[in-house]
Amino acid sequence: MRFCSRGRIEAIRSLIAFASYMGFIVYQMDVKSAFLYGKIDEEVYVSQPPGFIDPKYPQKVYKVVKALYGLHQAPRAWYATLSTFLLKNGYRRGTIDKTLFIKKDKHDIILVQVYVDDIIFGSTKKSWCDEFEALMQSRFQMSSMGELTFFLGLQVKQKEDGIFISQDKYVAEILKKFDFVSVKTASTPIKTQKPLVKDEEASDVDVTPKTSHLSAVKRIFRYLKGKPKLGLWYPRVSSFDLEAYSNSNYAGANLDRKSTQEFNFFSGRLISWQFKNRQLWLLSI
């Protein structure tokens, strides 16, 4: 499993949801040249870079002793280095999410979520956050970025009564990129009555999508233009009990007649959702 795939956006939302429930502030740090801290166990060799070839040994290569950007081993090597360091300093790793690190006593807790070279953290005790920053800066070159305001395309507004996350900056950028700043808005992201199909007889837009699919994407853009400030509100005053809801539609997919199923997960706040087709097996008894 690739390192980046572990630090899923659901983990970030879960931490933010917990922070809103507990009423503590989430902070952010950035690791400078994170991958250079990792050591690799395999033997890896690289060619001499153009312009820096040794004239006496032009055919020789370099043996890599530390991780470099671009190596597929680099993220794993960096994570192993960071993980070992935190475990030695009293943190324990999450049982399910291995990029989550936790330290707690009877009264307080600190959570540290790692995403490659970005780290977000928060604690019920502010002094623990200060100690964590000092700990990290004693071992790695770190940039302290203060309170979390922007992470993985999410804008984060931390308030006394909760936390609001949105993507209005990203929406503005994508509308500008595709010249949709001045178009009319749409009230819904997709037509509610007419399903989207393969539309095999229509003209190609790009390899497989058809003109109807392009129109559907344009409608989404028009909807986003009219709702740029939508987001998720995580109020402080609500429970943190995990709840899951599902909705199934037997043979609901209009193309292959597969059943569709939707999942939504809450911890007093929406943290994860999924929609998928499901293959049904008919058994004769």
Side-chain angles (χ1 to χ4, degrees):
M1 181 182 294
R2 293 177 57 193
F3 170 78
C4 293
S5 65
R6 295 178 183 173
R8 296 176 298 177
I9 195 67
E10 287 88 348
I12 308 303
R13 286 197 293 263
S14 297
L15 190 150
I16 293 175
F18 184 73
S20 71
Y21 171 70
M22 297 298 294
F24 63 71
I25 297 174
V26 182
Y27 299 91
Q28 183 177 8
M29 298 186 78
D30 176 73
V31 188
K32 298 179 181 178
S33 303
F35 289 175
L36 299 182
Y37 289 104
K39 294 183 179 181
I40 55 177
D41 298 325
E42 304 94 331
E43 285 194 2
V44 178
Y45 299 88
V46 296
S47 301
Q48 298 183 52
F52 296 90
I53 297 176
D54 191 328
K56 293 183 179 180
Y57 307 100
Q59 302 303 320
K60 291 194 173 184
V61 296
Y62 289 106
K63 182 179 180 180
V64 178
V65 295
K66 283 192 175 183
L68 295 173
Y69 282 97
L71 291 179
H72 73 272
Q73 299 98 330
R76 187 184 299 274
W78 153 242
Y79 173 74
T81 299
L82 176 62
S83 177
T84 300
F85 176 73
L86 291 177
L87 292 176
K88 286 183 177 179
N89 283 277
Y91 288 80
R92 65 177 179 85
R93 192 162 39 201
T95 304
I96 298 175
D97 182 1
K98 301 302 182 180
T99 62
L100 176 67
F101 295 87
I102 306 165
K103 186 171 74 171
K104 63 180 180 178
D105 60 17
K106 294 182 179 180
H107 306 288
D108 295 290
I109 185 173
I110 181 170
L111 303 178
V112 177
Q113 182 73 56
V114 179
Y115 190 89
V116 192
D117 55 356
D118 285 314
I119 299 175
I120 62 174
F121 59 98
S123 174
T124 52
K125 197 172 184 179
K126 177 61 169 61
S127 61
W128 282 21
C129 291
D130 298 335
E131 291 172 5
F132 174 75
E133 284 196 17
L135 175 67
M136 292 297 292
Q137 290 172 344
S138 70
R139 174 64 177 84
F140 309 103
Q141 288 188 336
M142 307 286 301
S143 296
S144 179
M145 304 174 70
E147 293 186 18
L148 178 66
T149 58
F150 190 83
F151 194 77
L152 297 180
L154 297 176
Q155 289 169 250
V156 181
K157 295 181 180 179
Q158 303 188 61
K159 304 179 179 180
E160 292 185 0
D161 56 343
I163 300 176
F164 183 71
I165 59 176
S166 64
Q167 290 187 289
D168 46 283
K169 286 186 178 180
Y170 173 73
V171 169
E173 290 173 0
I174 200 170
L175 291 177
K176 183 178 180 180
K177 178 179 179 180
F178 294 101
D179 196 22
F180 269 71
V181 175
S182 58
V183 299
K184 293 182 179 179
T185 61
S187 58
T188 59
I190 193 170
K191 293 180 179 179
T192 57
Q193 301 298 326
K194 186 178 180 181
L196 193 62
V197 296
K198 288 185 178 180
D199 200 9
E200 296 178 344
E201 297 181 357
S203 301
D204 289 337
V205 175
D206 182 9
V207 186
T208 53
K210 305 294 183 177
T211 52
S212 59
H213 305 126
L214 179 61
S215 297
V217 173
K218 289 181 177 179
R219 183 186 179 96
I220 294 173
F221 283 1
R222 293 198 303 271
Y223 171 78
L224 292 175
K225 182 180 183 296
K227 313 287 185 181
K229 301 294 183 181
L230 284 181
L232 296 177
W233 171 241
Y234 292 169
R236 180 176 181 181
V237 183
S238 60
S239 69
F240 200 71
D241 296 333
L242 181 63
E243 298 177 325
Y245 298 89
S246 65
N247 181 37
S248 299
N249 185 353
Y250 178 74
N254 62 310
L255 296 177
D256 51 21
R257 308 309 299 169
K258 289 183 178 180
S259 294
T260 59
Q261 193 164 19
E262 178 183 355
F263 302 91
N264 294 283
F265 298 91
F266 293 80
S267 58
R269 310 139 185 85
L270 181 61
I271 57 175
S272 180
W273 54 89
Q274 186 180 61
F275 178 87
K276 63 166 61 177
N277 285 357
R278 299 186 64 87
Q279 180 69 54
L280 292 184
W281 296 90
L282 298 179
L283 303 179
S284 57
I285 301 178

